[in-house]
Amino acid sequence: TSIMSAKIQVNGVHLHYQQTGEGSHAVLLLPGMLGSGQTDFGPQLKSMNKQLFTIVAWDPRGYGKSIPPSRDFPPDFFERDAKDAVDLMQALKFKKFSLLGWSDGGITALIAAARYPNLIHKLVVWGANASVTQEDVRIYNGIRDVSKWSEKVKKPLEELYGHKYLAETCEAWVDGISRFAENSDGNICQQLLPDIKCPTFIIHGEKDPLVPQAHAEYIHKHIKGSRLLLMPEGKHNLHLRFAKDFNREVENFLR
């Protein structure tokens, strides 16, 4: 089946999304920092089961093709993304749906699942964290300068944004997320984890250079009944690098 692209007005902005499949189980894919459906979820949009699932991948405001507005990072940007994501699915007439969140999108998905328990069917997160430590801030500053990124990672994003927007938004992101380290315990959404009532699957790459494993273990410990899968060779982008294994694990969990 083909992948449809469209925009819909939600909370005063025009949000871009892609949609494919005709299954009764709706699934929203939430991309990471600077990400979009197109750059972050190619193998999922292409290969997840189209008979079982209707798959939607969105571009959060200021990312991908959901520009304007330009992306900014106020203290509540994760909460804002969570509301936008849920309101987008409601605008598309999905009464209940599952969330698949990667990295920043995983944080957004955790918040959405806690805030809107009646709407979320199941939750999958990978490369996500519920707090920011000083070690995390050090890691983030290591990726602040996009000119030092590998060509493979940088090229699709430069094609999408142009160099200037990519560079400026990455710096703004580092500043925005590092601010959470000033909170008590570096809190982003720790207090919300016990409110997540839906079945939850946490996946973590043991070689993830951006998100230390302790974050996945913390999330697992504080979401009752959640499941944790560690992928020994997985890095941050394990859903792209090991797409076949990832898709199979996630489809089995969502069934």
Side-chain angles (χ1 to χ4, degrees):
T1 38
S2 61
I3 298 170
M4 176 200 82
S5 289
K7 278 189 167 185
I8 188 166
Q9 187 162 354
V10 177
N11 299 329
V13 294
H14 289 90
L15 294 176
H16 177 262
Y17 67 96
Q18 291 170 289
Q19 186 174 326
T20 186
E22 56 273 336
S24 59
H25 188 154
V27 176
L28 177 65
L29 308 176
L30 299 96
M33 174 262 278
L34 279 161
S36 64
Q38 173 198 338
T39 55
D40 287 13
F41 295 117
Q44 285 68 48
L45 286 163
K46 187 167 160 250
S47 304
M48 276 183 74
N49 188 317
K50 312 280 170 98
Q51 280 69 53
L52 286 181
F53 305 108
T54 296
I55 300 143
V56 178
W58 81 309
D59 298 358
R61 61 169 77 201
Y63 283 167
K65 294 178 181 163
S66 296
I67 304 172
S70 289
R71 181 71 180 184
D72 62 349
F73 299 95
D76 67 343
F77 74 91
F78 284 119
E79 296 275 354
R80 181 182 67 184
D81 283 351
K83 184 170 179 3
D84 282 349
V86 166
D87 291 350
L88 166 75
M89 292 300 276
Q90 301 259 272
L92 295 177
K93 304 285 188 276
F94 295 111
K95 288 190 175 63
K96 209 167 176 175
F97 45 92
S98 292
L99 301 174
L100 267 64
W102 177 37
S103 199
D104 270 18
I107 301 172
T108 301
L110 291 168
I111 293 170
R115 296 262 187 241
Y116 309 96
N118 302 336
L119 302 177
I120 310 306
H121 184 40
K122 292 186 177 183
L123 172 66
V124 182
V125 296
W126 65 104
N129 45 303
S131 65
V132 174
T133 66
Q134 289 305 322
E135 166 68 0
D136 296 326
V137 173
R138 192 187 62 74
I139 294 170
Y140 302 148
N141 277 302
I143 61 165
R144 177 186 285 274
D145 181 355
V146 299
S147 68
K148 292 180 181 158
W149 291 12
S150 75
E151 272 309 301
K152 194 168 163 235
V153 174
K154 188 169 63 175
K155 195 166 175 257
L157 292 171
E158 279 194 331
E159 283 168 5
L160 183 60
Y161 293 118
H163 180 78
K164 184 171 183 284
Y165 189 90
L166 175 65
E168 288 174 359
T169 308
C170 182
E171 289 206 11
W173 175 83
V174 171
D175 293 338
I177 195 151
S178 297
R179 226 174 281 130
F180 288 103
E182 296 160 19
N183 294 346
S184 164
D185 290 333
N187 181 46
I188 302 176
C189 61
Q190 291 171 316
Q191 77 290 358
L192 294 176
L193 300 181
D195 298 341
I196 296 174
K197 302 294 183 235
C198 64
T200 300
F201 186 20
I202 302 140
I203 306 174
H204 195 77
E206 290 189 32
K207 294 184 176 174
D208 189 332
L210 290 176
V211 180
Q213 191 170 312
H215 285 301
E217 288 165 353
Y218 183 95
I219 294 167
H220 173 47
K221 186 179 166 191
H222 290 87
I223 299 177
K224 204 177 166 198
S226 64
R227 207 181 124 202
L228 174 63
L229 171 70
L230 297 175
M231 292 177 70
E233 293 302 310
K235 292 187 181 174
H236 197 58
N237 65 345
L238 55 86
H239 65 297
L240 302 177
R241 175 89 171 60
F242 300 104
K244 211 170 157 189
D245 293 345
F246 175 87
N247 288 359
R248 186 186 64 242
E249 288 284 353
V250 167
E251 287 183 6
N252 287 340
F253 171 74
L254 292 175
R255 279 172 200 270

